[in-house]
């Protein structure tokens, strides 16, 4: 065990993180919870004009997984890009990649996750204090990359308030059976002292996770794929190990905040490292067949996965990040407060073709600054305006580099204005954005100007019923990959071609909802429709990578053989529409023999189609999540809580060109929690209790890498 691992484990054993803190179990967002991500004009969740989920306390502690995508997968309207245990990004209403902004404490994650589904977001969910998910396109605060939604992870690395007791701390340890995993996490905020009326608070946190290859309840290769390839159906098995699905992650941070009567200033430094296998034999290339029958060994890891493991392709990722956050209360007649959010990150990951065989290297060095000024409230009118600047130097270097190095600069100006008229609340927002991209190899410059606007309103029909409505128009500049890609992308088994002539993508949409809440239950129904002009997506051309090379006069036999099985794909702009709904409901069922029973329900659906069918006659966009339903019942008695839930995903049979359908699945999960002593909690989870085969239609590797099988997870949590 390395010295660093020993220190992390020791800190976790004695040391806050919100995912570790226990709160009263609740299937619904507390209506009094203040939502800070949707708008600079903070308001309770119940008054938010966008569809909002806030995951914290008990719910976050139960849902926290190794990746952000799997942590949030069961929230309304969400799915994930699932690429094994180590890589999974959130998908919101069928949108992912650069249309979803993932933030840490209000600043972008500054990584390479959007470039490929096998790249994770360098965020540690178990260290999160709370996670806010904002669904919808009216999010002009964060730029065009948020036109599908925002996920903001708050982890408390920069304290803005003084701990009540001078110290708050928490620690958690857990083990699980499906992958022989163990995990430690812990942190603390400590008041160092007061100097001249300014309180100085230090923060520190760390987490470590080690998981072997996980077990699956069926042969990794689906029968759908076997039938497509004319092979015999897979034999029935109870459990089999999915090769090369291991993950090892460590994260640690330290920060300092200066807190006074007029505001605060704080900064933090974080190091995130992860090493994980890419299951499914998708073939980053060489040596894969040579190693495919070898197993991942559960050994002490100081580069063991990279140096001693005889498995397949794996990724070694690390990010060093520095964040600054400040707020100053001016209390003038014009400006009441100014907030500063800033972050810098140096990100790199290396894709190893096999033991000691480093291949393609992804690098992204960037920073982001956002300054917001809150206007002094005047009667029924308040507002906030701000400036945002983002810059990144992104490069992919190696034999499988499919895009040239690209420099990107983006700046934007935005303003939110809110008015209240009795029972009605109206908010309007506008944003101007300038994006400049430069391919530094071919010296190609593309500049884009984007204008976006939204208008939303909420009206209280009664004390318990509220209606919500939004209309919006947003413009998004194409990304570096969409413009300049040209080469093999083996993770997705594609040979990708960009289009340097792509223009801005325009979304015009409407969203409406009804919210009902009493002391005994709640109901929220949201419907949405978004019409995209020049929607940019990766279109399957129906040819191979070898066909593309031959069409260019390239006849290298080794390259033709290596890339001959890749699917030729082109980034294309076409009109499209997204239509869907989300339903959230919950009710108190009553008390029986001292046991309080409650139930909750989540239903979500999205349909995404091209305005015109492609050359194969299909108008369906690829990897759109099917209908999902989650129903849960919870029983609480004294210090005990027992929750049982059923998760259903419908069959995905309306597919895009060359896309295989996906069978439906049903998972049963059971959670038991016990507060055995003050601030000491024991939790046991039985996940996929029936050991059913489940494959996510949104995953590129769904037909070779199912979700984990039956898993028992035991956790011990302490908070102070």
């Amino acid at each position: 065990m390395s010295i660093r691992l020993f220190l992390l484990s020791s800190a976790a054993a004695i040391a806050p993180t919100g995912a570790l803190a226990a709160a009263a179990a609740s299937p619904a967002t507390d209506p009094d919870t203040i939502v800070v991500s949707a708008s600079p004009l903070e308001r309770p969740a119940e008054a938010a004009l966008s569809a909002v989920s806030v995951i914290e306390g008990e719910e976050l502690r139960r849902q926290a997984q190794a990746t952000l995508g799997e942590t949030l997968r069961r929230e309304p309207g969400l799915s994930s890009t699932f690429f094994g245990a180590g890589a999974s990004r959130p998908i919101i209403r069928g949108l992912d990649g650069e249309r979803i902004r993932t933030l840490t404490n209000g600043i972008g994650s500054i990584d390479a996750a959007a470039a490929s589904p096998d790249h994770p977001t360098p965020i540690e969910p178990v260290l999160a204090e709370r996670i806010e998910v904002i669904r919808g396109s009216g999010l002009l605060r964060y730029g065009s990359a948020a036109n599908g939604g925002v996920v903001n992870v708050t982890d408390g690395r920069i304290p803005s308030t003084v701990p009540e007791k001078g110290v708050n701390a928490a620690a958690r340890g857990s083990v699980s059976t499906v992958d022989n995993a163990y995990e430690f996490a812990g942190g603390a905020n400590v008041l160092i002292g007061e100097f001249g009326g300014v309180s100085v608070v230090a923060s520190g946190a760390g987490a470590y996770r080690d998981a072997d290859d996980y077990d699956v309840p069926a042969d990794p290769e689906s029968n759908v794929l076997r039938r497509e390839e004319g092979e015999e159906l897979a034999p029935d098995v109870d459990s089999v190990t999915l090769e090369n699905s291991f993950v090892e992650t460590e994260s640690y941070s330290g920060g300092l905040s200066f807190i006074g009567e007029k505001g605060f200033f704080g900064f933090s430094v974080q190091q995130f490292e992860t090493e994980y296998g890419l299951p499914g034999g998708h073939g980053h290339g060489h040596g894969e067949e040579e190693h495919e029958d070898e197993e991942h060994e559960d050994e002490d890891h100081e580069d063991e996965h990279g140096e001693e493991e005889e498995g397949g392709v794996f990724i070694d990722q690390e990010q060093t990040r520095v964040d600054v956050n400040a707020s100053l209360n001016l209390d003038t007649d014009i400006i009441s407060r100014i907030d500063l959010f800033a972050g810098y990150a140096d990100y790199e990951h290396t894709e190893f073709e096999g033991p000691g065989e480093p291949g393609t290297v992804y690098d992204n060095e960037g920073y982001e600054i956002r300054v917001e000024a809150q206007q002094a409230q005047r009667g029924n009118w308040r507002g906030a305006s701000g400036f945002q600047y983002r810059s990144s130097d992104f490069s992919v270097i190696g034999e499988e580099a499919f895009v040239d190095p690209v420099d990107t600069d983006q700046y934007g100006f935005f303003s939110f204005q809110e008015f209240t008229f009795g029972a009605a609340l109206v908010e309007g927002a506008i944003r101007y954005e300038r994006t400049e991209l430069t391919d530094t190899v071919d010296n190609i410059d593309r500049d884009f100007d984007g204008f976006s606007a939204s208008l939303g309103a909420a009206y209280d029909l009664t004390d318990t019923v509220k209606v919500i409505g939004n209309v919006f128009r947003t413009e998004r500049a194409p990304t570096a990959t969409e413009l300049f890609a040209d080469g093999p992308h083996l993770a997705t088994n594609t040979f990708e071609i960009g289009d340097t002539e792509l223009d801005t993508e325009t979304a015009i949409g409407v969203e409406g909802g009804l919210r009902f809440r009493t002391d005994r239950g709640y109901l929220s129904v949201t419907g949405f429709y978004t019409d995209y002009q020049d929607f940019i997506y990766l279109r399957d051309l129906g040819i191979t990578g070898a066909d593309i090379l031959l069409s260019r006069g390239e006849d290298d036999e080794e390259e033709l053989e290596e890339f001959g099985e890749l699917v030729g794909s082109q980034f294309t702009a076409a009109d499209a529409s997204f239509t869907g709904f989300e339903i959230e409901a919950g009710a108190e069922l009553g008390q029986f023999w001292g046991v309080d029973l409650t139930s909750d329900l989540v239903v979500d659906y999205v349909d995404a189609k091209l305005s015109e069918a492609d050359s194969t006659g299909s108008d369906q966009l690829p990897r759109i999540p099917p209908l999902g339903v989650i129903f849960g019942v919870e029983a609480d008695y004294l210090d005990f809580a027992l929750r049982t839930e059923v998760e259903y995903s419908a069959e995905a049979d309306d597919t895009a060109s060359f896309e295989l359908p996906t069978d439906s699945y049903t998972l049963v999960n059971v959670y038991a929690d016990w507060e055995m002593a003050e601030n000491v909690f024991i939790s046991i989870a039985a996940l996929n209790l029936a050991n059913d085969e489940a494959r996510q239609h949104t995953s590129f590797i769904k037909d070779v890498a199912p979700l984990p099988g039956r898993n028992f997870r035991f956790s011990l949590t302490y908070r102070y």
Side-chain angles (χ1 to χ4, degrees), residues 11 61 185 586:
R61 184 164 62 86

Side-chain angles (χ1 to χ4, degrees), residues 265-477:
F265 173 86
F267 68 90
S268 72
V269 180
Q270 182 186 44
Q271 181 72 16
F272 179 93
E273 300 176 11
T274 184
E275 187 175 284
Y276 58 95
L278 298 179
H282 56 82
H284 268 271
H286 329 292
E288 185 170 332
E289 294 180 1
E290 174 185 350
H291 303 302
E292 66 181 358
D293 293 327
E294 302 293 337
E295 295 185 357
H296 164 61
E297 300 293 335
D298 181 20
E299 300 175 356
D300 186 28
H301 312 288
E302 179 75 7
D303 290 330
E304 281 86 344
H305 288 308
E307 299 299 329
E308 298 179 18
E309 152 121 9
E310 294 296 322
V313 181
F314 64 94
I315 287 180
D316 189 354
Q317 178 198 90
E318 64 177 274
Q319 183 195 64
T320 302
R321 180 181 176 112
V322 180
D323 286 276
V324 174
N325 191 195
S327 181
L328 177 63
N329 295 316
L330 298 178
D331 295 327
T332 69
D333 292 337
I334 300 175
I335 303 297
S336 64
R337 193 179 81 206
I338 295 179
D339 296 322
L340 169 68
F341 306 84
Y344 162 83
D346 186 4
Y347 169 97
E348 180 180 286
H349 85 242
T350 303
E351 299 179 347
F352 284 82
E353 312 295 348
E357 299 179 31
T360 307
V361 177
Y362 286 73
D363 186 272
N364 190 16
E365 184 176 7
Y367 60 91
E368 180 177 343
I369 299 171
R370 193 173 73 256
V371 180
E372 297 175 346
Q374 299 273 348
Q375 300 166 203
Q377 185 162 344
R378 297 177 179 273
N380 65 344
W381 171 35
R382 64 173 184 156
S385 302
F387 167 78
Q388 180 183 19
Y389 180 74
R390 301 169 60 196
S391 178
S392 72
D393 297 332
F394 174 71
S395 66
V396 187
I397 299 174
E399 187 175 327
E400 297 168 8
F402 68 98
V403 62
D404 289 339
V406 177
D407 294 342
T408 303
D409 293 284
Q410 183 184 88
Y411 58 85
F413 300 89
F414 57 88
S415 182
F416 287 72
Q417 302 297 318
E418 175 189 285
F419 301 87
T420 55
F421 306 96
L425 180 148
V426 178
E427 180 185 88
I430 58 172
R431 181 183 179 96
Y432 164 73
E433 184 174 275
R434 172 79 171 180
T435 306
E436 301 171 352
L437 301 98
T438 301
D439 181 327
T440 59
V441 174
D442 295 330
N443 294 318
I444 301 175
D445 295 319
R446 289 299 315 272
D447 302 332
F448 303 91
D449 293 300
F451 298 89
S452 301
S454 67
L455 180 66
Y459 184 77
D460 294 321
L461 293 176
T462 69
D463 291 340
T464 58
V465 180
K466 181 189 297 287
V467 291
I468 304 291
N470 287 288
V471 294
F472 53 83
R473 181 188 185 277
T474 62
E475 292 185 336
R476 181 183 74 89

Side-chain angles (χ1 to χ4, degrees), residues 561-717:
E561 181 178 358
E562 184 175 1
F563 304 143
E565 298 302 316
L566 298 183
V567 178
S569 304
Q570 167 87 52
F571 282 103
T572 304
D575 294 346
S577 62
F578 284 67
T579 307
F581 65 86
E582 294 136 12
I583 300 174
E584 296 178 81
E588 294 184 6
L589 301 180
Q591 188 177 82
F592 305 90
W593 302 286
V595 178
D596 293 314
L597 290 180
T598 58
S599 65
D600 55 89
L601 173 71
V602 170
V603 182
D604 53 34
Y605 174 77
V606 60
D607 184 31
K609 294 186 180 297
L610 298 168
S611 298
E612 296 182 4
D614 61 21
S615 58
T616 67
S618 172
D619 62 355
Q620 184 72 25
L621 284 166
R623 290 172 297 281
I624 299 301
L627 172 73
V629 180
I630 298 178
F631 176 71
V633 176
E634 185 160 328
D636 292 279
Y637 177 74
L638 298 178
D639 296 326
F640 297 88
L642 179 68
R643 175 177 173 81
T644 302
E645 64 183 27
V646 178
E647 175 185 353
Y648 171 76
S649 179
E651 179 184 14
D653 55 1
D654 187 6
T655 59
S657 301
F658 311 107
E659 183 181 34
L660 294 180
T662 306
D663 291 337
S664 64
Y665 64 80
T666 302
L667 304 180
V668 178
N669 305 314
V670 179
Y671 305 88
D673 299 284
W674 174 38
E675 185 176 1
M676 74 172 191
E678 185 177 4
N679 295 326
V680 179
F681 304 86
I682 290 179
S683 301
I684 300 174
L687 308 175
N688 191 5
L689 187 60
N691 201 37
D692 286 325
E693 179 181 358
R695 300 177 187 271
Q696 285 189 204
H697 186 68
T698 53
S699 171
F700 271 92
I701 60 171
K702 67 183 178 68
D703 288 302
V704 291
L707 296 176
R710 182 186 296 113
N711 183 25
F712 294 97
R713 186 179 66 201
F714 174 85
S715 303
L716 177 65
T717 302

Side-chain angles (χ1 to χ4, degrees), residues 3 55 104 126 180 235 244 319 446 451 497 539 541 600 602:
I3 294 177
I55 306 95
T104 299
V126 77
N180 297 319
N244 205 38
Q319 183 195 64
R446 289 299 315 272
F451 298 89
I497 305 172
R539 179 169 62 93
L541 298 175
D600 55 89
V602 170

